[in-house]
Amino acid sequence: MSCVEQAAGAEQQAQEEPVAESERRGAASLALGVTAVAMMGCPFLPEGLPPWIRYFPVYLVLPVGIMAVVCGLPDLWAVRGDAGAARGRAWIGVALGAVAILVPLAVFLYMFLLLG
């Protein structure tokens, strides 16, 4: 193996690493956002299931939504100047996390105003 082939191999590895890193940006945020929104539907599961399966995840919606936003925003800031970066997963994760934060807060405010 010559020095030219070794140098070309090192350059190819250096070029492949940022591509692999930018492809996984936002995956955690997307997974957390989808999980938070899915947990909002747990009370609508069939009544034959135990109550801890139907109602316990509702208590975790707000923390998981906050984690989705907290995981997604640094990913968006990291790829801010990169024109070729895939931002879709991070944006969707942040949006779903925001929905998972705002819906419980809106329901709480509505119940507070309704009962108050």
Side-chain angles (χ1 to χ4, degrees), residues 16-69:
E16 291 174 5
E17 289 177 13
V19 173
E21 184 177 332
S22 66
E23 286 179 4
R24 64 187 170 120
R25 292 271 186 207
S29 176
L30 179 62
L32 288 168
V34 168
T35 302
V37 171
M39 284 192 293
M40 285 193 286
C42 285
F44 302 111
L45 290 173
E47 291 182 12
L49 293 172
W52 66 272
I53 292 177
R54 291 183 62 210
Y55 297 110
F56 179 69
V58 175
Y59 296 110
L60 301 175
V61 169
L62 195 60
V64 174
I66 291 170
M67 287 178 6
V69 172

